[in-house]
Amino acid sequence: IGTNPEETIRLPSAINKSQTLEDLICSIYPRLQEFGTVTTSYLTECTILSTHNDDVSSINTRALEMMPGKEIVYLAADILSKEDSDDWTITNRYLTKYINSLDPPGLPAFKLMLKVGCPTMLLRNIAPKDGLCNGTRLMVVRCVTRLIEAMILIGEKAKNLVFIPRISLSPTSGELPFTMTRRQFSLRLSFAMTINKSQG
């Protein structure tokens, strides 16, 4: 901070100094391990902000593990574009297992893990009139095979129940040497989020 390396900065006593990831999660989400703790107001009063997607991902994974309840896993379906799937140099070089392991920005994870009551964030505009926009925070209410029922946490449509379907998404950036489409629920966990995403 500042330009003087000799300068000492005193942090306010209100700033929590966590030694482990679990300490951090418990200080922001107290009693997360107890049944009945997670409510809409509990999830809207606080969140963890980070600058890196990798840190956000590890915090979200650990927080979900700490939360009680049965974990529900949704696997995506990844396919290459018609042109790329016909090109044997691409299909031989990039195996399905490798494509499934990719986590491009703006796409949901191949393996989406949720629990009833966990906070999530919508990654695409599905129905803006109903409050389902990119960046909307939701709380999972019910999980079935082809739908996720959730409650909107923020905005004018807060407390409304909505249904999230699986949709086909393609990465927006051209950093991949092929074109792929992932069919998955357009959600990510949001115990933690990046600072950029929180500004939306």
Side-chain angles (χ1 to χ4, degrees):
I1 298 174
T3 55
N4 182 1
E6 304 294 319
E7 187 178 8
T8 302
I9 304 294
R10 287 188 181 276
L11 296 176
S13 59
I15 292 181
N16 190 317
K17 300 178 184 90
S18 301
Q19 300 298 319
T20 65
L21 184 57
E22 287 76 13
D23 288 345
L24 171 66
I25 293 167
C26 288
S27 67
I28 304 300
Y29 295 103
R31 302 185 325 279
L32 181 65
Q33 301 94 327
E34 299 172 18
F35 276 101
T37 300
V38 179
T39 61
T40 54
S41 58
Y42 178 86
L43 294 176
T44 54
E45 289 172 0
C46 54
T47 192
I48 299 171
L49 298 180
S50 178
T51 54
H52 294 93
N53 281 319
D54 291 342
D55 295 335
V56 166
S57 182
S58 60
I59 293 168
N60 282 329
T61 301
R62 185 66 191 112
L64 188 71
E65 289 169 0
M66 292 169 67
M67 190 178 170
K70 182 184 173 192
E71 200 169 82
I72 300 113
V73 178
Y74 291 103
L75 299 179
D78 291 338
I79 57 169
L80 292 174
S81 68
K82 179 83 171 83
E83 299 79 31
D84 290 337
S85 61
D86 290 342
D87 185 346
W88 65 270
T89 60
I90 290 177
T91 52
N92 284 351
R93 192 179 320 148
Y94 304 106
L95 302 175
T96 304
K97 192 173 182 178
Y98 168 74
I99 295 170
N100 293 349
S101 72
L102 296 174
D103 193 15
L107 278 195
F110 173 78
K111 187 177 183 180
L112 179 64
M113 293 181 289
L114 301 172
K115 288 182 181 178
V116 171
C118 73
T120 59
M121 180 176 284
L122 201 58
L123 299 177
R124 285 288 192 278
N125 292 335
I126 295 179
K129 286 184 180 177
D130 298 326
L132 294 178
C133 304
N134 184 5
T136 300
R137 291 186 78 210
L138 307 159
M139 182 178 85
V140 174
V141 174
R142 191 166 60 104
C143 296
V144 292
T145 308
R146 291 184 170 83
L147 272 178
I148 294 173
E149 185 178 356
M151 184 179 290
I152 298 175
L153 293 174
I154 55 170
E156 294 175 6
K157 307 289 184 177
K159 306 269 174 110
N160 284 6
L161 286 175
V162 293
F163 296 100
I164 310 297
R166 287 183 196 259
I167 58 174
S168 297
L169 304 163
S170 296
T172 50
S173 62
E175 57 189 47
L176 299 176
F178 50 81
T179 307
M180 65 173 277
T181 301
R182 175 167 288 170
R183 187 165 181 78
Q184 178 62 290
F185 294 102
S186 156
L187 295 172
R188 276 193 189 268
L189 287 171
S190 73
F191 289 100
M193 67 181 89
T194 60
I195 294 168
N196 285 348
K197 203 71 174 171
S198 73
Q199 291 170 341

